[in-house]
Amino acid sequence: MQATRPSAAIALAASTAPKRSLTWYLSWAMLLLLLAASWRGADMRPFDLWRDSGNMATYAADFFPPDFTQWRLYAHEMVITLQIALWGTVLAVVTAVPMALLASANIVPWWVYQPIRRFMDGCRAINEMVFAMLFVVAVGLGPFAGVLALWIHTTGVLAKLFSETVEAIDPQPVEGIRSTGASAMHEIVYGVIPQVIPMWISFTLYRLESNVRSASVVGMVGAGGIGVVLWEIIRGFQYAETGAVMLIIIVTVSAIDLLSAHVRKLLV
Amino acid sequence: METVLRIQQLNKHFPNGKHALRDVNLNVLRGEMVALIGASGSGKSTLLRHIAGLVVADGASESLIEVDGCCVQRGGRVSRDIRRVRANIGFVFQQFNLVSRLPVLVNVMVGLLHRTPRWRGWLRLFTPQQRAQAVDALQRVGIAECHAQRASTLSGGQQQRAAIARALVQGAKVVLADEPIASLDPESSRKVMEILTRINREDRCTVIVSLHQVEMALKYCPRVVALHQGQVVFDGPSTTLTPALLRELYGVQVDEILPSHTPTPTHAPQSDGVPVHMLPQPALASWRAAGA
C-alpha cells in the first residue's frame, strides 16, 4: 500500500506535466506574437529614448526647482478639484444604489436587469474626459461639467460593483424577512442592505480616490479644478510652475489614498 | 375546534424530477402542537415551505393550502395577497435566518413590519411602543439582555430564540418550525422546544415543528405526522407511535430517526435536559400516564 503510493504520484505527475507545458508554451507564444504585431501600431522607438536622452534631461531640468510663487491659486484650485470629486462621487452613489438593485438577478426579473446593465455598461465604457468635453458644451466651462462627467461615469462603475455584491448575498436572512409578511422593499432594506453595506462603503471610498485623480485631469478640457491651471501652464511652457502643480497633485492624491485606506480598514 | 390549516391534494415535483410531496392531505386544528417527522429528504422542509408560500406546488393541479381561512396557494399559484397571509404565519428556520449585522431588537421588530406604516418601516423608524413590544418578546424567550447586540454575536440557541421572538411579535397564529433544533446543542434544544410548547399553550398558537428525531417529537408533541418519501404515512396521537410501527413505516431508514436504537429497551433514567439517545419505552409509558 505505502510502496505503491509514491510511484502512483510519479505516474500522475508524469501524465500531467507535458500537457501543462504545452499550454504554457502556447500561451507565451501567443503573447509574444501579439506584442510583435502591435510593435508598429504603437510606434515603438526605444532607441529614440537613448538618442534623445540629452534633450530630455534638459527638459526635465526645466521643472526644477518647482516654482511655488502662485501656491495660493494652486491650493485653491486643488480644493475645488477635491470638491468636484466629492460631489461627483456622492451623486453617483445616490444613483448607483437603485441602479445596482435593478441590475441584480436575485432582485428583479431578467427583462429589468438586462437593459439596466447595458445602460450601465454605456455609462462605464466612456471615459470621464469624454463626458467632461460633452458637458462643457452643455453646461459651460467650469467645475459643474466635471461633476456631471464624474457622476455619470462613476454611476456606471459603482452600479456594477454594487450589484455584484448584491448577487453574492446570503438569501436565508432575506427569506427570514419575507416569511414575516414584510414587503419586497422591506426585504431590501432589512435583508439585503445590511449584508452589502460594508462592501458598498469600501467601493465608494475606492472610487472617491480614483475620482480625485480623474478630477485633476477633467480640467484639461475646461471642466474646472487644478487641471485647468495645469493645462494653461503646460501650454505656456512654464515648466517650473508645472513641477509645483504636479507635486501638489501627487501629495494630495497620496494623502487621500492613505486616508481612505485607513477609513476602509476602520469600517470593514 | 376550527381548522386552522388545510392542505389538500398537495403534490410537488422538483425540477430534477424528484417527486418531493405525494398527495399530501392534512388538517390541523387551532391550538394543536404537531410534530412532523421523517428521515432527511422525506419532504418535511418542503411541506413547511409550501405552507408559508415560499415554494409553489405543481402547476395545473388541484392543490390547495389555506391558513386561518386565507388561501396561501391554489393549483400551483401563490395567492395575490400572500404577504398579508404570511403575517399570520411565523416561520422558524433551522439556520435561524436572522440578519447577522442588525441588532437583535431590529431583527425581532422585523416581525412588526407588516403592520407598520410603510415609510416608517423603510426608514427603520420604530415607535417606543414597538420597541417595548420587542423587548417584551425577548424577555419571554429569556434573552432580553442581548437586545442591543448584533445577531451574529449570539450563540445558536440564542439566535433561534430571537427568531421565535420575531414570530411572537408578528402575532402569528400558526408557527412553522423547520428543524429548529437540528443545529443546536442538547441544552439549547430543550429550551427552544420548551419555548415552542409555551407559546402553544399560553398564546394558543398552533405549532407545527419538523424534527429529525422521534424522541423529541414524542416528548413535546401530542400529535405526530410522519412523512416517508413525500407521503404522509402516519398521522395520529404520538402515544400510538411505537418503535415497531416506526420500523414498519421506515424500514432500514428507521436508524436515521431512531439513533442508536437497541431492540431491548433499557431503563435509562430520564431527567430534564439530559438527551435521551434512544426511543425509550418507559418514556412512552410516562407520556401515556401523563394523559397528554
Side-chain angles (χ1 to χ4, degrees), chain B residues 111-189:
Chain B
L112 294 165
L113 287 174
H114 67 90
R115 53 172 191 275
T116 303
R118 270 163 186 263
W119 62 274
R120 273 185 176 279
W122 293 346
L123 299 175
R124 293 194 203 163
L125 292 173
F126 293 99
T127 63
Q129 288 92 320
Q130 287 180 313
R131 285 171 187 281
Q133 204 178 341
V135 171
D136 235 32
L138 283 170
Q139 230 146 26
R140 284 192 62 193
V141 298
I143 52 165
E145 71 282 358
C146 310
H147 71 91
Q149 294 176 25
R150 277 187 181 180
S152 55
T153 63
L154 266 57
S155 72
Q158 290 172 320
Q159 290 196 39
Q160 195 57 297
R161 288 192 268 164
I164 296 174
R166 179 168 72 187
L168 275 176
V169 300
Q170 197 185 324
K173 291 175 181 143
V174 177
V175 171
L176 309 173
D178 183 11
E179 298 265 16
I181 57 171
S183 320
L184 302 182
D185 61 274
E187 176 60 14
S188 303
S189 301

Side-chain angles (χ1 to χ4, degrees), chain A residues 120-189:
Chain A
M120 290 296 109
D121 285 349
C123 293
R124 203 167 53 244
I126 294 169
N127 192 280
E128 297 98 325
M129 288 290 273
V130 180
F131 278 126
M133 278 189 258
L134 298 177
F135 280 119
V136 163
V137 177
V139 301
L141 290 169
F144 188 51
V147 169
L148 295 179
L150 291 183
W151 176 28
I152 304 288
H153 183 78
T154 309
T155 297
V157 175
L158 284 183
K160 181 185 167 70
L161 293 172
F162 284 4
S163 83
E164 276 170 6
T165 327
V166 169
E167 288 181 341
I169 59 162
D170 177 2
Q172 290 189 329
V174 183
E175 196 168 57
I177 310 276
R178 185 177 311 148
S179 74
T180 66
S183 71
M185 189 67 183
H186 289 139
E187 286 174 26
I188 289 168
V189 172

Side-chain angles (χ1 to χ4, degrees), chain A residues 5-15:
Chain A
R5 251 200 201 153
S7 69
I10 289 165
L12 189 72
S15 69

Side-chain angles (χ1 to χ4, degrees), chain B:
Chain B
M1 274 301 213
E2 64 180 307
T3 306
V4 75
L5 167 67
R6 191 191 308 275
I7 300 177
Q8 286 171 4
Q9 292 292 312
L10 183 62
N11 272 285
K12 174 68 177 177
H13 285 83
F14 281 132
N16 63 13
K18 190 187 174 199
H19 200 168
L21 293 173
R22 295 164 194 262
D23 290 323
V24 174
N25 288 286
L26 189 65
N27 286 317
V28 176
L29 302 179
R30 191 177 297 286
E32 271 196 294
M33 176 126 180
V34 182
L36 200 57
I37 63 164
S40 52
S42 59
K44 306 186 296 290
S45 293
T46 311
L47 178 57
L48 290 176
R49 292 168 61 78
H50 273 85
I51 300 172
L54 297 171
V55 186
V56 287
D58 286 348
S61 64
E62 297 295 301
S63 67
L64 171 70
I65 300 178
E66 273 182 4
V67 170
D68 202 33
C70 302
C71 172
V72 173
Q73 53 175 294
R74 180 196 296 272
R77 295 181 83 105
V78 172
S79 148
R80 271 172 167 273
D81 50 356
I82 179 69
R83 292 183 191 271
R84 197 178 54 74
V85 182
R86 276 197 198 121
N88 285 329
I89 307 170
F91 207 111
V92 177
F93 298 84
Q94 179 180 344
Q95 295 302 331
F96 330 126
N97 292 16
L98 300 177
V99 184
S100 48
R101 287 179 57 88
L102 290 181
V104 174
L105 196 70
V106 175
N107 266 293
V108 173
M109 288 190 293
V110 162
L112 294 165
L113 287 174
H114 67 90
R115 53 172 191 275
T116 303
R118 270 163 186 263
W119 62 274
R120 273 185 176 279
W122 293 346
L123 299 175
R124 293 194 203 163
L125 292 173
F126 293 99
T127 63
Q129 288 92 320
Q130 287 180 313
R131 285 171 187 281
Q133 204 178 341
V135 171
D136 235 32
L138 283 170
Q139 230 146 26
R140 284 192 62 193
V141 298
I143 52 165
E145 71 282 358
C146 310
H147 71 91
Q149 294 176 25
R150 277 187 181 180
S152 55
T153 63
L154 266 57
S155 72
Q158 290 172 320
Q159 290 196 39
Q160 195 57 297
R161 288 192 268 164
I164 296 174
R166 179 168 72 187
L168 275 176
V169 300
Q170 197 185 324
K173 291 175 181 143
V174 177
V175 171
L176 309 173
D178 183 11
E179 298 265 16
I181 57 171
S183 320
L184 302 182
D185 61 274
E187 176 60 14
S188 303
S189 301
R190 186 183 63 81
K191 278 188 185 146
V192 163
M193 286 309 295
E194 274 170 9
I195 290 167
L196 286 175
T197 313
R198 224 173 59 223
I199 64 173
N200 169 250
R201 226 179 290 138
E202 294 170 7
D203 303 17
R204 307 250 317 119
C205 237
T206 310
V207 176
I208 303 173
V209 50
S210 77
L211 294 163
H212 199 74
Q213 298 189 357
V214 173
E215 67 224 25
M216 288 309 241
L218 296 184
K219 191 168 170 199
Y220 291 102
C221 304
R223 178 178 167 193
V224 172
V225 173
L227 282 173
H228 183 50
Q229 294 174 356
Q231 250 175 330
V232 176
V233 289
F234 174 88
D235 179 3
S238 47
T239 48
T240 58
L241 195 66
T242 61
L245 180 58
L246 278 169
R247 217 170 294 125
E248 204 181 301
L249 296 175
Y250 287 100
V252 287
Q253 265 198 314
V254 79
D255 292 337
E256 203 180 314
I257 51 176
L258 288 178
S260 66
H261 173 74
T262 46
T264 49
T266 55
H267 290 262
Q270 199 198 8
S271 65
D272 234 14
V274 176
V276 184
H277 286 299
M278 50 158 286
L279 180 73
Q281 287 288 0
L284 264 175
S286 69
W287 186 257
R288 280 199 197 96

Side-chain angles (χ1 to χ4, degrees), chain A residues 19 27 31 131-132 158 202 205 255:
Chain A
K19 245 190 209 165
S27 325
L31 181 63
F131 278 126
L158 284 183
S202 175
L205 286 170

